[in-house]
């Protein structure tokens, strides 16, 4: 059972989220943001103003933090008149009540609390997600930032899931932070201008994945183009990053999907692999015995019995791999296993692997797996 999330003021996150959505941001000018902060019951001098985008991903957020990201020289291209790019509220969980200690007894200085592990991070995010969805309705977008957060900030190593409630002027987002989920209020246009700017086609230009649903909230939303893999090594790197965080992120987002991967072989494009993305990461290969899939690391149902939950027939597909839950997948080894198998089956180049469109249909969202660099069929 997960702990109940509280904000800096002991306010449940759903209540803070409703107040943020209703807030007047004054065009994100200095005066408008000051009024926003004071309207939340905080003094202006209590708010942390981070020095850079890097600072957003590397600084240790304390319980109760409110922090602002100002527009810097590198972000000016994405804004019109805004002075700030986002207001971030760190969510916390209830902690055991401290036992009073007599003043005469020295209190040892404790080491900084370790960051929660991926399982705990996913649980905290999912708890906050459920509370916000009940209050705000279905998010307009879901996804993962991968290795690069907004305006090139670093992201948590366990995963970078987000949920977004888009507005015409302002957007509210639940985002993964280093010590737990964060609520982010931001002007909509700079957010989307930054993402659009990444669609220049260079390898690894966009990481992660982005899912949007039809409806008024996404009216006028423009999404960037994808990039394409150009080498087996690029594909290996992309798959490694994808596999490493996938079960933690999908557990956090509360979604599950089997993503098929097809390959162009000898004039056709049969299905070669299944990626079962859920609270555990399961992979399956439809390879023939002749190429000896076991030599690449694949096993059978006897070796990976939990895979039967996804593929009930022990021999279709015959080859499976249970990569584990949040924090457990060895992304690089899994990627090398998939790439070696594809090449042994006769796939001539990395861009001859294709994502099945049915794997992108995570209703009500259409999800684009930008970070893989693979076309959809």
């Amino acid at each position: 059972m997960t702990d109940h999330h509280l904000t800096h003021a002991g306010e449940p996150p759903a209540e803070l989220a409703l107040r943020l959505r209703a807030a007047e941001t004054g065009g994100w000018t200095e005066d408008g943001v000051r009024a926003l902060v004071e309207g939340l019951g905080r003094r202006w001098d209590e708010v942390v103003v981070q020095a850079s985008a890097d600072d957003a991903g590397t600084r240790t957020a304390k319980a109760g933090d409110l922090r602002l990201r100002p527009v810097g020289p590198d972000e000016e291209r994405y804004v019109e008149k805004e002075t700030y790019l986002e207001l971030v509220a760190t969510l916390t969980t209830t902690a055991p009540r401290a036992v009073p200690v007599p003043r005469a007894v020295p209190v040892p200085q404790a080491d900084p609390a370790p960051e929660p592990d991926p399982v705990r991070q996913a649980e905290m995010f999912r708890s906050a997600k459920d509370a916000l969805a009940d209050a705000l309705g279905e998010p307009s977008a879901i996804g993962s930032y991968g290795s690069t957060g907004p305006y090139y900030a670093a992201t948590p190593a366990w995963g970078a899931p987000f949920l977004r409630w888009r507005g015409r002027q302002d957007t509210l987002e639940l985002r993964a932070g280093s010590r737990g989920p964060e609520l982010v209020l931001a002007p909509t246009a700079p957010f989307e201008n930054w993402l659009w700017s990444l669609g220049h086609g260079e390898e690894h230009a966009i990481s992660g994945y982005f899912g949007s649903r039809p409806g008024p909230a996404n009216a006028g939303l423009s999404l960037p183009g994808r990039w394409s893999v150009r080498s087996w090594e690029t594909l290996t790197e992309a798959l490694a990053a994808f596999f490493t965080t996938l079960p933690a992120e999908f557990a956090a987002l509360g979604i599950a999907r089997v993503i098929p991967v097809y390959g162009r072989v000898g004039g056709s494009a049969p299905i070669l692999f299944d990626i079962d993305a859920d609270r555990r990461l399961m992979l399956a290969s439809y390879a023939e015995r002749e190429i000896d899939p076991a030599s690449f690391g694949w096993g059978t149902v006897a070796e990976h019995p939990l895979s039967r939950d996804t593929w009930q027939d022990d021999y279709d597909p015959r080859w499976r791999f249970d990569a584990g839950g949040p924090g457990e997948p060895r992304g690089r080894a899994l990627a090398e296993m998939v790439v070696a198998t594809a090449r042994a089956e006769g796939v001539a180049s990395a861009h001859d692997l294709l994502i099945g469109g049915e794997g992108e249909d995570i209703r009500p969202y259409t999800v684009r797996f930008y970070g893989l660099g693979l076309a959809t069929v």
Side-chain angles (χ1 to χ4, degrees):
M1 180 178 180
T2 54
D3 296 334
H4 180 64
H5 286 275
L6 296 175
T7 68
H8 60 276
E11 179 182 21
E15 295 181 15
L16 176 61
L18 288 169
R19 290 209 292 145
L20 287 172
R21 284 197 81 184
E24 292 292 334
T25 54
W28 292 87
T29 62
E30 183 84 18
D31 290 341
V33 174
R34 183 185 290 268
L36 168 64
V37 168
E38 292 172 350
L40 293 172
R42 298 295 293 269
R43 296 201 317 268
W44 182 250
D45 60 7
E46 293 178 328
V47 178
V48 176
V49 179
Q50 58 201 43
S52 66
D54 287 340
D55 188 41
T58 59
R59 69 180 301 276
T60 300
K62 301 189 299 294
D65 264 2
L66 276 185
R67 70 178 189 271
L68 283 166
R69 179 181 296 183
V71 174
D74 293 336
E75 292 87 30
E76 289 178 351
R77 74 190 77 174
Y78 310 118
V79 305
E80 292 185 4
K81 60 181 181 180
E82 295 89 355
T83 303
Y84 294 95
L85 293 165
E86 56 188 30
L87 175 70
V88 182
T90 302
L91 303 183
T92 66
T93 56
T94 53
R97 184 179 298 276
V99 177
V101 178
R103 292 182 181 274
V105 178
V107 179
Q109 293 298 314
D111 294 332
E115 294 185 10
D117 63 25
V119 172
R120 180 66 177 137
Q121 290 274 21
E123 289 175 346
M124 291 192 296
F125 191 98
R126 177 65 183 273
S127 177
K129 174 254 183 191
D130 290 344
L132 265 60
D134 286 345
L136 305 177
E138 194 79 34
S140 55
I142 63 172
S144 167
Y145 284 118
S147 61
T148 304
Y151 314 107
Y152 301 101
T155 59
W158 73 270
F162 66 83
L163 301 167
R164 186 176 298 169
W165 288 265
R166 180 178 186 257
R168 189 172 63 87
Q169 298 294 334
D170 303 317
T171 288
L172 182 69
E173 182 170 277
L174 180 67
R175 182 187 302 169
S178 62
R179 294 189 179 275
E182 300 175 335
L183 267 178
V184 183
L185 185 67
T188 298
F191 237 5
E192 296 178 0
N193 292 342
W194 169 77
L195 182 62
W196 176 261
S197 74
L198 302 182
H200 49 70
E202 293 298 319
E203 290 186 323
H204 301 300
I206 310 177
S207 58
Y209 42 91
F210 187 98
S212 59
R213 64 181 177 88
N218 284 325
L221 175 65
S222 296
L223 294 176
R226 306 190 192 198
W227 59 273
S228 298
V229 294
R230 299 171 193 170
S231 70
W232 288 113
E233 180 55 33
T234 297
L235 178 59
T236 301
E237 293 170 356
L239 285 171
F242 185 63
F243 289 151
T244 297
T245 59
L246 194 59
E249 291 179 339
F250 269 40
L253 293 169
I255 57 179
R257 195 63 177 156
V258 175
I259 305 167
V261 179
Y262 297 82
R264 298 189 184 100
V265 180
S268 63
I271 184 170
L272 301 184
F273 308 102
D274 273 339
I275 302 169
D276 178 24
D278 202 338
R279 291 180 176 270
R280 295 185 73 82
L281 173 61
M282 302 274 188
L283 304 179
S285 169
Y286 292 88
E288 299 297 329
R289 186 188 295 270
E290 286 73 12
I291 71 166
D292 191 15
S295 69
F296 300 120
W298 297 98
T300 63
V301 173
E303 295 165 288
H304 303 288
L306 293 180
S307 68
R308 191 179 283 116
D309 293 342
T310 302
W311 304 283
Q312 289 76 33
D313 188 328
D314 290 2
Y315 298 97
D316 185 23
R318 178 180 179 82
W319 306 102
R320 289 98 183 282
F321 196 94
D322 179 358
E328 295 179 342
R330 297 173 57 211
R332 181 75 189 192
L334 296 171
E336 290 174 349
M337 180 176 71
V338 168
V339 167
T341 306
R343 299 184 74 172
E345 289 194 81
V347 179
S349 64
H351 60 76
D352 287 321
L353 285 180
L354 308 163
I355 292 289
E358 60 269 42
E360 296 185 336
D361 184 13
I362 304 178
R363 296 186 182 182
Y365 303 95
T366 298
V367 177
R368 299 154 184 85
F369 293 103
Y370 283 107
L372 292 178
L374 298 177
T376 301
V377 62

